[in-house]
Amino acid sequence: MKFVVKLFPEITIKSKSARKQMTKILRQNLQVLFRQHLLSADVRNKWDSLLVVLNHEDDVSRRKAIEILSHTPGIGFSLEIGEYEFSTLDEAYQRVRDEYRERVAGKTFCVRIKRAGHHEFTSHQAEIYMGGGILKETEAKSVSLKSPEVVVTAEIRNDRVQVVRQQIKGLGGYPLGSQGEVLSLISGGFDSTVASYLMTRRGLKTHYCFFNLGGSAHEIGVKQVAHYLWSTYGESHKVKFVTVPFEEIVTEILTNIETSQMGVVLKRMMLRAASRVADDLRIPALVTGEAVAQVASQTITNLAVIDRVTDHMVLRPLAAMDKQDIINTARRIGTEAFAANMPEYCGVISINPTTMGDRKRVEETEQNFDMDVLERALSRSSTQRIDEVITEAESGLDDVPVVETPGLSDVIIDIRHPGEIADNPLSLANNKVVEIPFYELDSRIRELDGEQRHLLYCQKGTMSRIHAHHLNLETDIAFGVFDEPDRKRPLAEDV
C-alpha cells in the first residue's frame, strides 16, 4: 500500500535549504505518528514529495494511514497509488485502464498524466493514447476535457507508473515543530480552541495554559478538548498543559477593582501569569482567541492596554474573523461539540464595561489589587505533559467499579468520539449499547433510566473512569466502567 505525499505549496517556494529542512521534519513527524499508531511504514524523501510505503494490506490500517495523512501539518494533499513497472506505453496504459475500469463506467472522463524521466513519448501523447484506449476498451460514456465526471490520474516516473486511486486532502500549513513554540491561553470555548488549532497547523508547537475559574469539572473539560486537539493534529510532538488556579484572582477583582475595568484587568492578570509560565518554559510568544470587537474587552484600545503587561509577542490568529467563521472552523476540526457543551465561566461580569481602555486609569485601579494573590496562584500552578492529562490518577477513581462481564440489565454507554466509534464500533449480544460522546454526558443525563446500572466504555478505560466517578458524585444513578480485555484495540486512541 503506497501513498505519495505532496508538500504544502508554500513550502515548495522556499529556498533549497529551508525546503530541505521542512521536508526532513515532515518525514520525521510521519515516522513518529505511524510508529505511535502501531503501523509499520517506510517514509522516503523524494524532494518534491514523500513516498509512504505502508507494510499492511488491511482496511483498518489503510483508514488509519489516511487519517494521519489528512491531519498532519505540512501536507498539501496525498495520493493513494498503485505502482507498477512498465517497459512500453501500452503496458502503462493497461495498468491505468484496469485501475479505472469500474470508475469510468457510464461516465465522462479525461486523462491527466505527469511524467518525469526519459521516454519516447510526451505527457500529452500519453494522455491521448490512454484516453483513446479507455474510451474504446471500457464502458466509459465519453471524453470531456472541460467538465469530466472522472479524472483519470497517473504519474510516470522512469520505468514505473503510479496510478492514483484517490486524492486525500491535506491539512496544509508547515510541518509541526518547524516554526518554533507558543503558549496558547485555552478556555475550551470556540475561540481558544480554533486559535490553538491554527497555530498547530502553521507549524508551531503549541503548549496550553488554562486559567481555572470553574473547579475540577471545568478543568477536566478543557483538558479533554486540549488533548483532542493535540492527539488529532499535533501528536508527533509532546507539549505541556499548565493549569493556573484563578478563583482567588476573580474574587480579588470583584472586591477591589472598579466595575467598568474588571474585564480588562482580568485579561491583564491572565497575560501576566501566562508570561511567567512562558518564561519558565522558555516560550517566546503567547496565543489568544481574541477577535477584534467581539466583546467589550476586545476593542483595539482595550487590547493595546492589555498587551502592555507583557514583553512577549501576543498572537491573535482570529483577530479579523467573524464569529460564524470561527464556529464553522470549530465544526470542521471537531471542537464544536466540546465548545458547545463547555460551561461558561466568564469570571467577572462588568456593568457598563469600558470599550475605550485608558492605560493610566487601568493602572490606577490595579493599585487596589493585591499582587500577592497572583503570586500565590502561580505558585499553585501545575504542569503536565499533554499525553498524561487524561490518564493522570484522579482522587476517588479507585472507587469506581470496573466490570468485565456486565449483567443482563446493565446498559453500556460508549462515550468515545463519534469518529472512533465509526472506525471500531462496540457490539454486544446481551446488553443494550447507547452512544453518548463524553462531552454530551452531562447534558443528556436525563435520558438515562435511574433504576439501571450504566457502564461507561472508552478505548483505554481512563476517561470512562473519570466520568463515572464524577457522575456517581453528582447523580443518584449508579455508574461503573465496562472493560473488555479481549477486545483488539491497537489502533484507536482515547481523545
Side-chain angles (χ1 to χ4, degrees), residues 316-330:
R316 295 184 170 91
L318 310 186
M321 290 182 67
D322 298 332
K323 187 65 177 184
Q324 191 57 53
D325 292 335
I326 296 170
I327 293 173
N328 292 342
T329 303

Side-chain angles (χ1 to χ4, degrees), residues 141-152:
K141 182 178 179 181
S142 64
V143 174
S144 174
L145 299 180
K146 291 186 177 180
S147 55
E149 295 176 87
V150 177
V151 178
V152 177

Side-chain angles (χ1 to χ4, degrees), residues 86-97:
F86 75 96
S87 57
T88 66
L89 178 58
D90 189 65
E91 288 182 359
Y93 153 69
Q94 292 178 40
R95 293 296 191 180
V96 174
R97 176 201 60 197

